[in-house]
Amino acid sequence: MSSAPSNAANPAMSMISRINIQQYVVYVGFLAIFLFFAVVLKDSGFLTVRNLSNIVLQTAPITIMAIGMVFVLSAGEIDLSIGSTVAVAALSAAVTMNAYGMIAGIAAGIGAGVAIGLVNGLLVAYVRLPSFLVTLATLGLFAGVARSLTNLRSIPVTDSTFTGFFGSGSLLGIPSLIWWTVIAIIAGHLIFRETKFGAHVLATGDNARAASVSGIPVPRIRLAVLVISGALAGLAGLLYAGRLQAAKYTLGETDLMTVIAAVIVGGTLLNGGKGSIIGALVGSLMMGMLNNGLILMGLSVSDQMIVRGLIILAAVAVSLREKLR
Amino acid sequence: MNTQAPVLQLKDIRKNFDAVVAIENFSLDIYPGEIVALVGDNGAGKSTLIKIVSGVYGPSSGTITIEGETVAMSSATMARSHGIEVVYQDLALADQQTVYMNMFLGRELTNGIGLLDRKTMISETEKLVKELDVRIPSAHATIRDLSGGQRQGVAIARATRWAKKLILLDEPTAALGVAETAKVEEIVQSLKSRNIGVLIISHSLDQVFKLSDRICVLRRGKQIGIRRTSETNKNEIVSMITGVN
Ligand SMILES: Nc1ncnc2c1ncn2[C@@H]1O[C@H](COP(=O)(O)OP(=O)(O)OP(=O)(O)O)[C@@H](O)[C@H]1O
Ligand SMILES: [Mg+2]
């Protein structure tokens, strides 16, 4: 006799149980933090529609980068360079836009992200340098580029079509930053979960040798995930520039830790083979909520950093424990 | 005994890893529906030979001919496109993925709009697993949650699913219990009726004598000889393996 009572008889059921186990931690954490703030901050406006939607809006760039990070980590690599890619992309977009118009600016922003992703990807996939070291180096390198690009000056972004599209605008009554989040999550989830490419990303991160003898083009997958991550960090740069109506070298500087924490808490393994886009979304929102709640609680900036660090540490520890079994 | 052309011809294969000569002067023909056992002590070069045929390593010299056509087997994809499947000693499964995704690793089925066709992959996996009597909890199970024997079963099921001409098995029963070993031996024998050639590595001479049509002996990378199983005995093979009379 082959399979014991098989789950396949009820795929919907088995799917639900698998998702629950896998992402249990992030949902519980999300709810716990939400309830805590809802109670503690009920007189400080945490629960207002305006504040909650603000959280989603402010989290948009983090969510977008987290999607890229899910692909990268699932493939067994890491991308630390997003921290400076955001600023390079935003500045490139702003400078180009002011000289040549909106379309050129958008192309420059995304193009900068793709270019950085290509540099990382080629070194990782074909020279076989560890992505941790390569992207640590490019993180520093492009932080320097971002500073020298405009001599530390902030560049205004005044094109109202651009700031509407990437920042303060809305469509059908829904803010554009929410549109970007929703579209990116749906596209990311579909590509990650439902295409051959997504399956190959997971196989590469799980067992690169097995993937390779199974005919999966492992180097191309490694290149692709780093380019995706770069492109999405470029998009995040555009979203910052659109919302703040300016680009500056400091954009995204502190996002790296937030993005990685959001993704890990969301059920993606640090060493590859397993990831979740939906988990990354919930993880990102959790980080955004944490930020927002701590500010509303009136903590000083240094206390916010300490508390956030501790909570992230706890969340990451719990979600990793869950996975180690 | 076999009037068909060989599925695989190896001629003067040599492989060295820098100074280490892992295989030299190796020549062997395998015919459709024939089971050839490859025996030799640890480090004799058996796994290396399989990896040469499957395209993981290019041979340092020598030729590989498949159904009369000389091929430059430079990648695993090429071996697979020639209908050759391998069960590696170290398995080559993606541990955190499901059984059905492993069954279709690198050859995932998609529907009309390019999305994964999980339904078909799952049902094909279930059918195959049932046919081959591989006892796993379900096609959805994660490889990591399976026992060593179950993993072996999945790897063998995958190879038989895709093989058209030749299966290479590197110690397929090393991790298996008595019943599972018998099952794998049955599967190997059933490949004969599909006219698939088999090259099997095993340290169990009982198994080798039970299954094989011919036995090829390697010692320290050198081909000591090939014997028809019906015309030799364990003593001869043991002395060929060890070099002691
Ligand atoms: N990638 C490699 N690089 C260097 N040397 C290697 C490599 N692979 C194998 N060898 C060497 O080639 C020789 C043959 O190894 P191989 O794995 O083919 O042996 P084997 O016959 O399969 O042994 P076992 O029965 O233990 O599986 C050994 O001396 C081994 O150290
Ligand atoms: Mg071996």
Side-chain angles (χ1 to χ4, degrees):
Chain A
M1 248 303 296
S2 79
S3 37
S6 159
N7 286 340
N10 193 341
M13 201 45 226
S14 75
M15 191 182 237
I16 286 166
S17 67
R18 267 178 294 141
I19 286 174
N20 277 348
I21 293 162
Q22 185 189 332
Q23 287 165 10
Y24 179 73
V25 183
V26 72
Y27 294 123
V28 170
F30 183 88
L31 269 182
I33 293 177
F34 181 82
L35 290 176
F36 175 79
F37 285 143
V39 171
V40 172
L41 295 171
K42 67 175 180 302
D43 300 324
S44 315
F46 176 78
L47 270 185
T48 59
V49 173
R50 195 183 148 73
N51 187 54
L52 294 179
S53 99
N54 247 335
I55 292 177
V56 182
L57 297 186
Q58 282 167 1
T59 311
I62 298 291
T63 309
I64 301 283
M65 285 187 273
I67 294 168
M69 193 63 79
V70 170
F71 279 90
V72 176
L73 291 181
S74 297
E77 306 296 339
I78 193 163
D79 185 359
L80 304 176
S81 70
I82 55 170
S84 55
T85 303
V86 169
V88 171
L91 286 167
S92 308
V95 170
T96 311
M97 198 172 341
N98 291 342
Y100 303 102
M102 185 183 83
I103 302 293
I106 294 172
I110 301 289
V114 169
I116 294 174
L118 271 173
V119 171
N120 291 332
L122 291 173
L123 290 172
V124 168
Y126 297 99
V127 188
R128 276 318 278 145
L129 300 175
S131 53
F132 181 84
L133 296 179
V134 167
T135 60
L136 185 61
T138 51
L139 171 69
L141 175 70
F142 288 104
V145 169
R147 280 164 172 73
S148 67
L149 215 52
T150 60
N151 280 323
L152 306 185
R153 269 183 307 123
S154 165
I155 305 295
V157 174
T158 50
D159 189 312
S160 62
T161 318
F162 179 86
T163 55
F165 200 55
F166 289 98
S168 53
S170 65
L171 179 67
L172 306 173
I174 296 171
S176 55
L177 288 172
I178 293 187
W179 279 111
W180 280 110
T181 304
V182 169
I183 291 169
I185 287 290
I186 291 175
H189 179 77
L190 274 182
I191 293 170
F192 187 70
R193 282 287 301 165
E194 301 300 337
T195 66
K196 259 175 127 92
F197 173 73
H200 292 180
V201 167
L202 285 166
T204 298
D206 195 338
N207 185 343
R209 220 185 55 86
S212 174
V213 298
S214 302
I216 293 169
V218 169
R220 236 186 296 160
I221 298 289
R222 289 180 174 139
L223 174 65
V225 294
L226 284 161
V227 170
I228 289 172
S229 175
L232 289 175
L235 176 57
L238 296 184
L239 297 180
Y240 273 124
R243 183 158 59 87
L244 305 173
Q245 309 200 344
K248 197 165 188 243
Y249 71 94
T250 51
L251 288 181
E253 244 177 10
T254 58
D255 287 350
L256 177 61
M257 181 181 83
T258 314
V259 169
I260 291 181
V263 168
I264 299 293
V265 168
T268 295
L269 280 190
L270 197 49
N271 36 16
K274 191 169 187 181
S276 165
I277 299 284
I278 304 297
L281 169 66
V282 179
S284 301
L285 292 175
M286 187 167 127
M287 295 300 147
M289 196 164 64
L290 205 53
N291 238 355
N292 177 274
L294 293 178
I295 292 170
L296 288 185
M297 281 174 77
L299 266 64
S300 70
V301 174
S302 47
D303 287 348
Q304 282 176 39
M305 288 171 75
I306 292 170
V307 172
R308 198 168 54 218
L310 289 175
I311 292 180
I312 291 175
L313 204 56
V316 170
V318 170
S319 47
L320 286 183
R321 258 183 72 88
E322 189 78 359
K323 252 133 249 153
L324 287 176
R325 285 196 290 169
Chain B
M1 119 189 176
N2 210 319
T3 53
Q4 288 169 282
V7 272
L8 175 75
Q9 292 176 278
L10 301 173
K11 209 162 154 22
D12 293 331
I13 298 290
R14 176 191 169 86
K15 174 75 192 174
N16 49 287
F17 296 104
D18 299 321
V20 181
V21 180
I23 291 279
E24 59 185 331
N25 287 328
F26 189 94
S27 298
L28 175 68
D29 293 352
I30 301 178
Y31 291 87
E34 183 189 36
I35 300 174
V36 177
L38 186 60
V39 297
D41 271 336
N42 296 128
K46 307 179 297 296
S47 295
T48 303
L49 188 82
I50 284 212
K51 286 177 180 168
I52 289 171
V53 178
S54 68
V56 174
Y57 302 142
S60 304
S61 64
T63 57
I64 302 175
T65 309
I66 297 172
E67 293 197 319
E69 181 195 344
T70 299
V71 294
M73 203 91 85
S74 53
S75 78
T77 325
M78 257 174 89
R80 292 175 10 147
S81 71
H82 282 98
I84 297 178
E85 286 295 320
V86 192
V87 177
Y88 292 97
Q89 191 168 17
D90 39 10
L91 287 178
L93 298 173
D95 275 4
Q96 294 170 95
Q97 314 307 314
T98 58
V99 170
Y100 71 87
M101 284 307 277
N102 270 279
M103 201 66 82
F104 288 86
L105 198 64
R107 294 183 273 219
E108 298 83 2
L109 304 180
T110 51
N111 61 19
I113 53 168
L115 300 183
L116 293 177
D117 185 357
R118 291 181 197 272
K119 226 175 118 190
T120 310
M121 290 193 280
I122 290 166
S123 69
E124 277 209 34
T125 300
E126 278 168 349
K127 207 177 93 203
L128 191 69
V129 154
K130 195 162 200 162
E131 266 171 33
L132 299 180
D133 206 5
V134 180
R135 291 158 207 233
I136 52 167
S138 109
H140 293 280
T142 304
I143 296 294
R144 176 177 74 164
D145 298 336
L146 301 181
S147 75
Q150 290 170 325
R151 291 175 202 207
Q152 194 81 54
V154 171
I156 291 171
R158 175 171 67 185
T160 55
R161 160 73 172 74
W162 294 101
K164 301 220 162 43
K165 289 172 192 157
L166 184 66
I167 289 193
L168 312 172
L169 299 155
D170 197 345
E171 300 192 32
T173 58
L176 301 188
V178 178
E180 287 78 8
T181 298
K183 191 69 218 175
V184 168
E185 289 171 352
E186 198 182 301
I187 293 170
V188 170
Q189 259 155 346
S190 75
L191 294 170
K192 262 184 187 296
S193 62
R194 283 169 57 192
N195 227 16
I196 290 173
V198 176
L199 181 64
I200 180 170
I201 295 178
S202 175
H203 287 291
S204 155
L205 287 187
D206 285 335
Q207 181 173 65
V208 165
F209 274 81
K210 199 184 321 171
L211 289 179
S212 69
D213 299 302
R214 287 187 297 151
I215 302 170
C216 172
V217 181
L218 268 182
R219 191 197 316 144
R220 297 203 192 162
K222 291 196 173 63
Q223 190 172 26
I224 302 303
I226 303 175
R227 298 284 182 274
R228 244 171 229 305
T229 309
S230 56
E231 294 163 7
T232 185
N233 56 52
K234 281 186 194 161
N235 285 339
E236 185 188 18
I237 297 297
V238 168
S239 65
M240 286 168 78
I241 291 173
T242 57
V244 179
N245 287 305

